[in-house]
């Protein structure tokens, strides 16, 4: 038997944040869930993407208006300070997604990793921005991440913290296998993310059940194929009438779901994850050094879009 | 509504091939399934990996003995000719896995793609060889693919045939997301593979149900994330007392299982696949040209094994 290496992981799903909900009200909800997670002996709590506001890319507006209403100019800031204070008091870390305006005026879809002393020790800026930049007046709502955000400039970073190595990503990144592979090649044992996933696809008539299905199979396969634990936190339910999926999960390196939310409201799920389970997979089926063949993976970086089949002999 | 582009896809799962079963007996089973598939209007039939013999890498023996007993020196050859003759007669193509000895004396775990005129139009040599090369006398069986085979030298090839683009791989390749990505970057719309997956893991006490679970989630996520159809054919059941999983499937670009075998015996499953379903995913969520960011994927080809986290600012 391998010695276990346990970490108390909580995922704090959020119900809707409506346009009328101000930052203090939202932060109070986050603090409540931080305390609940601490009560279950969590070391780390994963909050959603854009946890402090509604999922505003669904609304057409100018960049200036979006910045004014929905972006954070620093992290922490006065509105979010109670969350950092509670974390320090409780001795618990967290991951938090928010819209970031940099001092230089750049806009990113960002998440921070905060340690048990409430210090920001990691930051990620979303790379796989879904949606579009143009106005689609005939769509029931917009998905303007490509308008409001620049592509992230920090890669898929992995931070040595919480006694392990933690990789960060956001929402749509989870559907791209490159995200997880770049993390696992940096020896990440745990990947954390938040997401806002509309239940309806504005581009085609996708059955809503598929949104949950593809969310889950992407996380399950990626956890397995990279021998990682994954914690994924939804913001979900009806935000001012626009529905988003729940399905917050903690997934094991076996690809099995260890815990899954059962509501579309604020809800803390918890699992005492054993990081050593990943070691077994890393040693055998996914012993990268022994089995990977990068000489055959070149197209992954040589092409962006799909092209013609390579010539054969 | 998009115009459909239909292809009749059959997956011909095989029950066990025991050591005592000679090639003519095995080929007769393949011909029977080819006829059954044709009766369902199949254009293409996917047969398993090492379809002509038992899964011999479970036995310790010299390379010379393995070649003598289990390798094909040409394809087709006299023993397999009845299958090619039946394909030409019926006007149906197939994928077939076998152990290949080249004229130069190289040994590969290989599959060929054969068109409706019974012409070999594609060949793949397995890249992700699992298992080990040394003798493990304490294990209940061996997994000697690294002893008997060289790493494939043809990449993950995609062939324009059957009115579409067909990518080929084998068995353990399906667990590596790079396999599928290299195919989809060549515009593959369908991926085909055969496999032999022991129900027991000789390296650790893996619960057997996980073997089926990880097989299915890998195929489902890869079909979805690459907007491809996948057809996967098992050789399964007890080969001389050694059990292998079934679970042959046809998976849609939605990640949903369209058809799945219900036995551990010779069994043909069929689905009239609509290649146009993949177009929807390729245009939107997985529009690679619009959304992929290869500048952040470098580690996938720069590293083989996992290493330290990249430095952060």
């Amino acid at each position: 038997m391998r010695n276990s290496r346990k970490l108390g992981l909580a995922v704090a799903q959020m119900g809707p944040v409506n346009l009328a909900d101000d930052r203090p009200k939202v932060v109070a909800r986050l603090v409540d869930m931080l305390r609940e997670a601490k009560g279950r002996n969590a070391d780390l709590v994963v909050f959603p993407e854009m946890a402090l506001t509604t999922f505003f890319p669904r609304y057409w507006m100018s960049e200036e208006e979006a910045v004014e209403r929905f972006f954070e100019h620093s992290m922490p800031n006065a509105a979010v300070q109670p969350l950092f204070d509670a974390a320090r008091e409780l001795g618990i870390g967290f991951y938090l997604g928010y819209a970031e305006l940099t001092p230089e005026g750049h806009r990113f879809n960002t998440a921070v990793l905060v340690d048990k002393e409430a210090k920001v020790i990691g930051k990620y800026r979303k790379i796989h921005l879904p949606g579009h930049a143009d106005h689609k007046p005939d769509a029931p709502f917009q998905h303007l991440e490509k308008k409001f955000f620049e592509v992230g400039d920090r890669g898929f970073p992995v931070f040595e913290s919480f006694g392990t190595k933690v990789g960060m990503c956001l929402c749509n990144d989870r559907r791209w296998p490159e995200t997880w592979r770049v993390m696992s090649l940096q020896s990440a044992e745990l990947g954390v993310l938040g997401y806002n996933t509309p239940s309806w696809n504005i581009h085609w008539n996708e059955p809503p059940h598929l949104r949950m299905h593809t969310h889950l199979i992407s996380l399950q396969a990626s956890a397995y194929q990279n021998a990682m634990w994954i914690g994924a936190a939804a913001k979900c339910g009806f935000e001012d009438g626009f529905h988003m999926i729940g399905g917050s999960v903690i997934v094991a390196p076996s690809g099995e779901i260890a815990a899954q939310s059962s509501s579309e409201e604020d809800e803390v799920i918890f699992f005492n994850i054993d990081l050593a389970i990943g070691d077994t997979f890393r040693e055998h089926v996914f012993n990268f050094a022994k089995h990977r063949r990068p000489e055959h993976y070149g197209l992954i970086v040589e092409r962006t879009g799909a092209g013609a089949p390579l010539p054969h002999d």
Side-chain angles (χ1 to χ4, degrees), chain A:
Chain A
M1 279 293 294
R2 194 184 289 282
N3 287 331
S4 66
R5 295 187 287 124
K6 294 289 180 72
L7 175 75
L9 180 66
V11 167
Q13 173 177 286
M14 297 177 72
V17 176
N18 293 315
L19 282 167
D21 299 330
D22 63 14
R23 304 275 205 296
K25 182 173 168 185
V26 172
V27 169
R29 288 163 58 184
L30 300 180
V31 170
D32 279 352
M33 290 202 282
L34 199 71
R35 292 191 188 281
E36 181 174 346
K38 181 65 186 180
R40 299 200 205 166
N41 213 23
D43 298 292
L44 172 61
V45 184
V46 184
F47 291 117
E49 177 194 42
M50 290 185 226
L52 303 173
T53 65
T54 200
F55 184 66
F56 63 87
R58 75 169 68 90
Y59 301 108
W60 180 257
M61 72 190 92
S62 70
E63 286 81 347
E64 292 71 25
E65 181 181 352
V67 164
E68 174 66 25
R69 297 173 65 186
F70 301 110
F71 280 64
E72 314 302 315
H73 298 227
S74 63
M75 184 57 60
N77 56 38
V80 185
Q81 192 59 48
L83 179 64
F84 281 71
D85 292 344
R88 189 182 297 106
E89 170 207 327
L90 299 169
I92 186 171
F94 64 89
Y95 162 109
L96 180 74
Y98 63 98
E100 175 190 19
L101 179 75
T102 74
E104 299 77 23
H106 295 287
R107 299 181 308 273
F108 294 106
N109 188 345
T110 295
V112 285
L113 187 65
V114 176
D115 73 8
K116 293 182 177 187
E117 286 80 44
K119 186 172 163 234
V120 174
I121 55 165
K123 180 182 278 192
Y124 169 69
R125 291 169 173 158
K126 188 171 177 179
I127 287 174
H128 295 104
L129 296 170
H132 51 97
D134 57 319
H135 189 206
K136 296 193 182 298
D138 296 333
F141 55 91
Q142 309 294 303
H143 201 125
L144 294 166
E145 292 193 53
K146 285 202 193 291
K147 174 181 172 69
F148 294 134
F149 303 114
E150 295 173 50
V151 172
D153 57 358
R154 302 173 61 83
F156 297 101
V158 172
F159 300 95
E160 303 205 40
S161 52
F162 300 96
T164 180
K165 297 189 181 69
V166 183
M168 300 176 72
C169 67
L170 274 163
C171 194
N172 182 50
D173 288 320
R174 72 196 187 284
R175 303 180 191 272
W176 300 83
E178 292 90 346
T179 299
W180 304 101
R181 192 58 110 215
V182 170
M183 287 184 196
S184 62
L185 284 167
Q186 297 175 78
S187 302
E189 299 185 312
L190 167 64
V192 289
L193 70 148
Y195 58 98
N196 288 264
T197 300
S199 297
W200 298 95
N201 188 326
I202 62 172
H203 299 290
W204 64 287
N205 192 20
E206 183 179 7
H209 81 272
L210 277 185
R211 308 287 270 188
M212 179 64 75
H213 169 72
T214 60
H215 156 68
L216 292 175
I217 60 173
S218 293
L219 291 178
Q220 291 181 268
S222 296
Y224 166 62
Q225 293 172 336
N226 295 283
M228 290 168 65
W229 286 88
I230 293 178
K235 181 144 63 64
C236 60
F238 284 101
E239 287 192 335
D240 293 306
F242 298 97
H243 192 259
M244 299 189 296
I245 66 168
S248 301
V249 281
I250 297 172
V251 184
S254 61
E256 293 175 298
I257 294 172
Q260 181 169 349
S261 64
S262 60
S263 76
E264 294 182 344
E265 300 169 1
D266 288 6
E267 178 182 350
V268 176
I269 60 172
F270 174 86
F271 203 82
N272 197 23
I273 71 174
D274 184 359
L275 298 163
I277 290 175
D279 296 337
T280 302
F281 290 89
R282 275 183 288 273
E283 271 174 37
H284 301 297
V285 59
F286 297 125
N287 186 325
F288 286 179
K290 209 185 270 186
H291 299 309
R292 290 184 80 245
R293 291 289 160 184
E295 69 272 26
H296 293 297
Y297 307 156
L299 281 192
I300 293 171
V301 295
E302 290 158 18
R303 288 185 179 177
T304 300
L310 292 177
H312 324 105
D313 55 8

